[in-house]
Amino acid sequence: MDTNLNQVFYPANFNDLFSTWNRYPDAVPYAGGTDFLRWQSINIIKLPKVVLCLDKIEELRRITRTEQYLEIGAMVKLNQLFRLGKIVPQILYRCMENIAGVQVRNISTIGGNICASSGLHDLSAVLTALDAQYEIRGANSTTWISAVRFHDKNPLKKQEILTRIRLPLIQWDYSIYKKFPSKDNFLDNLSAEVLVFLARAKKTILTDLRVVYKSGKILRNRNSEDSLMGKNLPLSRKIAFEFVENWKEFLGGRRDVSEFSKNALLKNIEENVFLLSD
Ligand SMILES: Cc1cc2nc3c(=O)[nH]c(=O)nc-3n(C[C@H](O)[C@H](O)[C@H](O)COP(=O)(O)OP(=O)(O)OC[C@H]3O[C@@H](n4cnc5c(N)ncnc54)[C@H](O)[C@@H]3O)c2cc1C
């Protein structure tokens, strides 16, 4: 065997995948490939030495639905999710609409967007806000981890893959998705920042609120969310104002968010919380 050549394997199932990985410990999983190819405009593209293409593993392409959950295999393409229609939470729809163009969405997968090594991608904010759970498999292990923990610090060990995403099916009364440019890279859609704002109410009582912000990392201010729980809708202007002040204080001391981003974020939070007020 010529060890200088690239090798691409197409395992047909998990046994195949992990036994190949055992033989080639440095092999790299490959989903749609868009993250590998993104910055390569040359004729002969560079790939990792040994590639494990996940395309033939049927289980990774499955989508199932129970009364409470939607389960999505890691190899499901972003555009396939569009075709599922109303069952897909509206916020996820909005997020995917804003990812690249149709051609890229036809080949890039939900698992690739979650695991991309080039930083946090847009789905991370939405899946965190929706309280998604991720299934991770190794040769002898299967574990579930919350999206919030996964995106805080990618826990994938060597020779482990993301296999499934489990989404709770909750109806949100109010769901807003905002994507705005970051200061450092106005032109790069990928390093844009994202705000997810979800709320639901029982009659006129606010019962759930989640506000998630993604820049280089994911931020959530639980204290501000708790302060609105059980409040009557529409919120009073005073309560809405206090919510914005709480966020201002939360962001105040943070060095990992630029002043530019703080201002953009606060403006968006203010806009949205005041939409819930009288
Ligand atoms: C022109 C362009 C514009 C884009 N714009 C946006 C944008 O606006 N917002 C946004 O969020 N993204 C954007 N993207 C990124 C795109 O969404 C990601 O490249 C894509 O989601 C990665 O998916 P993939 O299936 O191609 O993954 P791949 O490129 O195949 O893999 C990505 C990484 O994840 C690893 N991986 C893949 N699947 C698994 C798995 N199941 N388990 C473990 N590791 C895995 C791979 O080893 C690799 O390191 C853009 C990409 C392009 C090319």
Side-chain angles (χ1 to χ4, degrees):
M1 191 186 320
D2 185 345
T3 49
N4 288 323
L5 290 178
N6 283 81
Q7 296 191 74
V8 181
F9 293 90
Y10 284 85
N13 51 48
F14 290 126
N15 271 348
D16 263 10
L17 169 73
F18 292 116
S19 65
T20 311
W21 227 339
N22 198 24
R23 281 187 288 136
Y24 301 92
D26 292 327
V28 176
Y30 185 101
T34 56
D35 226 35
F36 295 104
L37 309 182
R38 183 143 198 239
W39 303 110
Q40 304 195 49
S41 50
I42 43 175
N43 285 340
I44 300 176
I45 51 169
K46 283 194 186 134
L47 284 176
K49 200 92 203 97
V50 185
V51 168
L52 292 170
C53 184
L54 304 177
D55 209 35
K56 297 266 188 288
I57 305 179
E58 212 269 326
E59 219 174 312
L60 295 178
R61 285 190 270 124
R62 259 185 224 151
I63 300 172
T64 52
R65 183 199 169 164
T66 66
E67 228 168 77
Q68 289 166 324
Y69 299 109
L70 179 64
E71 288 195 349
I72 306 162
M75 283 298 286
V76 170
K77 313 272 193 281
L78 298 184
N79 266 350
Q80 266 178 283
L81 285 174
F82 270 113
R83 286 180 228 124
L84 294 180
K86 282 198 174 142
I87 190 183
V88 175
Q90 202 196 351
I91 196 89
L92 185 53
Y93 233 88
R94 293 277 298 118
C95 174
M96 289 186 304
E97 268 174 359
N98 283 282
I99 293 180
V102 175
Q103 294 91 338
V104 172
R105 294 199 300 260
N106 273 338
I107 47 177
S108 59
T109 63
I110 184 166
N113 194 281
I114 291 171
C115 296
S117 51
S118 50
L120 285 179
H121 284 21
D122 297 351
L123 285 179
S124 60
V126 169
L127 295 172
T128 297
L130 290 174
D131 254 346
Q133 298 280 321
Y134 300 161
E135 185 190 59
I136 292 173
R137 277 218 201 184
N140 301 306
S141 63
T142 304
T143 46
W144 286 91
I145 180 169
S146 64
V148 63
R149 277 188 55 210
F150 187 98
H151 293 298
D152 185 41
K153 195 167 184 243
N154 187 331
L156 280 179
K157 298 194 197 92
K158 250 192 151 189
Q159 299 182 28
E160 280 186 343
I161 57 162
L162 170 72
T163 44
R164 261 191 294 178
I165 294 92
R166 182 182 283 167
L167 274 186
L169 289 174
I170 293 175
Q171 199 59 43
W172 293 94
D173 301 311
Y174 186 81
S175 74
I176 297 288
Y177 181 81
K178 290 265 175 171
K179 188 165 172 176
F180 40 95
S182 68
K183 184 181 180 217
D184 304 326
N185 212 335
F186 241 81
L187 296 176
D188 182 9
N189 208 16
L190 191 51
S191 55
E193 308 192 349
V194 165
L195 175 70
V196 177
F197 198 105
L198 294 173
R200 65 194 171 117
K202 244 188 200 142
K203 295 194 176 152
T204 61
I205 307 289
L206 191 62
T207 54
D208 205 347
L209 174 75
R210 301 181 194 168
V211 182
V212 172
Y213 163 68
K214 172 205 88 88
S215 55
K217 62 189 300 183
I218 288 194
L219 294 185
R220 189 167 168 190
N221 176 1
R222 300 235 185 208
N223 179 275
S224 71
E225 293 173 14
D226 290 348
S227 73
L228 292 196
M229 275 317 90
K231 294 278 188 287
N232 257 310
L233 290 176
L235 301 171
S236 69
R237 309 287 286 180
K238 178 173 174 281
I239 288 176
F241 180 75
E242 282 167 3
F243 183 81
V244 179
E245 285 301 303
N246 190 317
W247 263 93
K248 242 183 224 169
E249 206 173 299
F250 175 75
L251 290 172
R254 298 200 72 108
R255 296 230 178 98
D256 51 356
V257 184
S258 70
E259 287 307 310
F260 178 90
S261 297
K262 282 179 189 170
N263 289 334
L265 177 59
L266 285 170
K267 181 173 159 282
N268 277 288
I269 286 178
E270 188 172 336
E271 246 172 55
N272 287 299
V273 76
F274 274 93
L275 285 177
L276 295 177
S277 82
D278 47 22

